[in-house]
């Protein structure tokens, strides 16, 4: 399956994000670098040294790009952040690429997108980058990518560590989210199909956690249904909702196998941290006899579908920047009003049980000295405000991270880190 050819001159930099994987047009020196994936025409994935060479080249080529190390893995590999655009742009979009090391297509889409945006000359792309800062973690799990494993070098699934923050990789991402406050967090993955119930070219899903601000949730759902899916569909890719099996004849949902509201997953943590999060999953399995015979052909389809979806993200960011900024700003301020229940279970498609609702949350949680010592770094990485006490610490709910605090400290939360003592004396 081959997407139609598009040029880099499409409005609002959509083409720079979504153009198919072909050699860039001839330009004045320096010549745009190519990924190892492109050099091999999809026969192999880009190696870590090739990634480092490409990032160094784009960093040297233009002031619109900067590359920094934000973490180091257990195997001493760098976790890096690439900034493209203006530091004071209106909106910030964060791409997290290949948290699971054996899901490489998102990483390839991110690397080629970084290159294309770095070298683009057209006015539309320059205008887009003057109003949008694109942040990219091109390889969120370097050790897992090197070993072609889902988990990191300790076998930990990083995408189940965005609450506890026990891995260097998740800690690096948490610091970026805290410091850069992205309006969108776009998380690129791959999945294995189950024909005929679960075999779209691309699945996606927004934050389902019930603590996500409604306006932020709606922006994320709009990103999915009105932009990402149509963009992929225009290039001939089928799309659907991640985690939901559907009847191949009627299209009705059959059962849910994934995609719940648990807070330790980045898609849901994105909503808790006031960003319109979106998980994107491309199909690993070959679609045709030709793809079964030619692994490179299958690989190219996987990466190209991710690129098509990124085109929808670019269009959404440009057209929704005002509404998006208003939604995320209001969400960040909402916690200071300190009103309403906090949910420790349920999802936007799964009504919370009474036992999963803290109807009358406390004013805060008290931690003794040992508890605070155990998790003070994680609280700081989450951006949780803490008041120090001689006996330990007090964590108030009246703060931007209001919904996150009980999920970290209340014994009713399924993944809480310590059991804080509720304080009802406001």
């Amino acid at each position: 399956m081959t997407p139609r050819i598009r040029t880099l001159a499409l409005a609002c930099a959509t083409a720079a994000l979504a153009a198919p994987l072909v050699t860039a047009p001839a330009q004045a020196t320096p010549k745009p670098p190519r990924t190892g994936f492109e050099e091999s025409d999809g026969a192999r994935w880009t190696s870590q040294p090739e990634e480092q060479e490409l990032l160094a080249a784009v960093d040297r080529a233009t002031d619109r790009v900067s590359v920094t190390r934000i973490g180091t893995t257990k195997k001493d590999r760098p976790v890096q952040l690439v900034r493209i655009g203006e530091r004071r742009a209106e909106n910030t979009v964060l791409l997290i690429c290949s948290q699971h090391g054996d899901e490489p297509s998102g990483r390839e889409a991110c690397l080629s997108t970084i290159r294309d945006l770095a070298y683009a000359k057209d006015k539309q792309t320059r205008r887009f980058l003057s109003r949008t800062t694109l942040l990219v973690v091109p390889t969120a799990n370097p050790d897992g990518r090197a070993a072609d494993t889902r988990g990191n070098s300790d076998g930990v699934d990083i995408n189940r560590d965005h609450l506890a923050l026990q891995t260097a990789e998740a800690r690096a991402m948490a610091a970026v989210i805290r410091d850069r406050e992205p309006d969108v967090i776009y998380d690129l993955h791959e999945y294995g199909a189950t024909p005929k119930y679960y075999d779209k070219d691309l699945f996606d899903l927004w934050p389902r956690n019930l603590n996500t601000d409604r306006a932020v949730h709606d922006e994320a759902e709009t990103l999915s249904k009105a932009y990402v899916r149509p963009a992929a569909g225009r290039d001939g890719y089928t799309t659907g909702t991640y985690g939901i099996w559907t009847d191949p004849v009627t299209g009705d949902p059959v059962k849910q196998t994934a995609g719940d509201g648990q807070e330790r997953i980045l898609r849901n943590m994105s909503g808790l941290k006031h960003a319109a999060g979106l998980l994107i999953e491309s199909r690993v399995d070959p679609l045709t006899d030709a793809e079964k015979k030619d692994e490179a052909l299958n690989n190219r389809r996987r990466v190209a579908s991710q690129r098509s979806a990124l085109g929808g993200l670019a269009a959404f960011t440009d057209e929704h920047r005002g509404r998006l900024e208003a939604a995320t700003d209001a969400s960040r301020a909402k916690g200071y009003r300190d009103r309403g229940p906090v949910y420790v279970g349920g999802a936007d498609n799964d009504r919370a049980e009474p036992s999963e609702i803290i109807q009358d949350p406390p004013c805060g949680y008290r931690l003794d000295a040992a508890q605070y010592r155990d998790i003070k770094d994680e609280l700081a990485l989450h951006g949780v405000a803490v008041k120090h006490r001689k006996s330990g610490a007090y964590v108030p709910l009246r703060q931007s991270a209001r919904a996150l605090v009980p999920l970290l400290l209340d014994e009713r939360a399924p993944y809480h880190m310590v059991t804080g003592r509720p304080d009802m004396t406001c």
Side-chain angles (χ1 to χ4, degrees):
M1 182 183 302
T2 303
R4 70 181 186 275
I5 301 299
R6 292 177 293 173
T7 70
L8 290 174
L10 287 179
C12 305
T14 298
L17 288 171
L21 298 172
V22 297
T23 305
Q27 298 183 25
T29 55
K31 183 179 179 181
R34 285 164 57 83
T35 66
F37 180 83
E38 292 168 323
E39 292 285 0
S40 68
D41 200 24
R44 62 178 179 82
W45 306 109
T46 302
S47 68
Q48 186 195 21
E50 289 170 332
E51 174 185 338
Q52 296 307 302
E53 290 175 9
L54 183 144
L55 295 181
V58 298
D59 196 9
R60 291 191 303 266
T62 173
D63 290 340
R64 76 172 65 154
V65 175
S66 67
V67 181
T68 56
R69 179 187 286 236
I70 57 173
T72 303
T73 71
K74 187 175 181 179
K75 297 290 187 180
D76 201 34
R77 294 186 174 93
V79 181
Q80 293 169 294
L81 180 72
V82 181
R83 176 191 57 80
I84 312 168
E86 303 293 336
R87 292 184 182 274
R88 296 182 179 180
E90 298 171 40
N91 296 111
T92 300
V93 175
L94 173 62
L95 306 186
I96 302 293
C97 316
S98 296
Q99 284 197 79
H100 294 147
D102 58 353
E103 299 172 7
S105 74
R107 171 177 178 259
E108 298 295 342
C110 288
L111 289 172
S112 55
T113 293
I114 291 168
R115 185 269 322 285
D116 290 350
L117 292 176
Y119 286 86
K121 304 294 186 182
D122 60 284
K123 292 181 180 179
Q124 290 87 355
T125 299
R126 292 201 304 268
R127 180 173 179 269
F128 177 84
L129 293 176
S130 73
R131 304 199 299 171
T132 299
T133 297
L134 184 66
L135 303 175
V136 187
V137 180
T139 307
N141 181 6
D143 291 350
R145 175 79 290 271
D148 195 29
T149 57
R150 179 180 177 89
N152 67 3
S153 55
D154 287 324
V156 177
D157 185 337
I158 297 167
N159 202 29
R160 301 298 182 273
D161 188 39
H162 291 287
L163 188 83
L165 302 181
Q166 298 302 295
T167 62
E169 297 88 349
R171 293 168 78 88
M173 286 180 267
V176 169
I177 294 169
R178 176 197 63 196
D179 296 341
R180 303 300 183 102
E181 296 187 338
D183 299 290
V184 177
I185 300 175
Y186 188 93
D187 186 20
L188 293 82
H189 288 258
E190 297 194 82
Y191 84 100
T194 306
K196 304 176 181 177
Y197 299 98
Y198 198 61
D199 61 351
K200 303 294 187 183
D201 299 319
L202 286 167
F203 283 117
D204 67 32
L205 189 60
W206 48 89
R208 287 203 185 276
N209 189 283
L210 291 173
N211 296 296
T212 302
D213 179 77
R214 173 50 58 180
V216 170
H217 171 280
D218 290 350
E219 286 297 308
E221 191 170 2
T222 298
L223 167 61
S224 162
K225 294 182 176 180
Y227 288 87
V228 166
R229 296 186 192 185
R234 286 191 291 271
D235 282 338
Y237 298 113
T238 57
T239 60
T241 301
Y242 176 72
I244 305 294
W245 284 26
T246 57
D247 186 290
V249 177
T250 66
D252 295 333
V254 173
K255 64 177 179 178
Q256 182 167 337
T257 60
D260 59 17
Q262 60 174 278
E263 56 268 22
R264 59 183 183 157
I265 296 172
L266 181 59
R267 165 179 56 83
N268 288 312
M269 183 58 71
S270 298
L272 289 168
K273 293 186 175 178
H274 320 295
L278 195 70
L279 168 76
I280 188 82
E281 301 257 359
S282 61
R283 173 185 169 134
V284 171
D285 314 80
L287 282 166
T288 64
D289 289 339
E291 288 186 358
K292 292 176 183 178
K293 294 177 181 178
D294 183 357
E295 185 176 3
L297 181 62
N298 182 43
N299 293 343
R300 292 197 298 272
R301 188 263 310 161
R302 290 157 63 182
V303 177
S305 67
Q306 293 273 12
R307 296 266 302 189
S308 289
L310 282 169
L313 172 63
F316 168 84
T317 304
D318 198 67
E319 294 175 16
H320 274 244
R321 71 179 63 255
R323 292 174 53 179
L324 179 62
E325 184 178 17
T328 57
D329 284 352
S331 178
R332 292 185 179 98
K334 186 177 179 180
Y336 291 99
R337 297 199 297 272
D338 192 23
R339 293 197 298 268
V342 174
Y343 300 90
V344 297
D348 68 354
N349 65 340
D350 179 21
R351 185 185 299 273
E353 299 293 333
S355 62
E356 296 175 318
I357 306 172
I358 305 177
Q359 289 285 4
D360 187 17
C363 304
Y365 294 85
R366 297 191 179 276
L367 306 178
D368 63 33
Q371 289 176 319
Y372 180 56
R373 183 170 57 249
D374 285 345
I375 67 167
K376 65 178 182 179
D377 291 343
E378 289 73 29
L379 292 174
L381 285 165
H382 280 303
V384 173
V386 175
K387 296 182 179 180
H388 300 279
R389 298 285 188 265
K390 289 183 179 180
S391 59
Y394 177 70
V395 185
L397 256 66
R398 191 181 294 276
Q399 59 172 296
S400 183
R402 178 182 186 268
L404 181 58
V405 170
L407 301 180
L408 292 164
L409 305 179
D410 197 290
E411 64 180 352
R412 289 166 285 187
Y415 304 106
H416 68 281
M417 298 182 67
V418 299
T419 300
R421 182 161 58 89
D423 185 347
M424 305 300 295
T425 58
C426 298

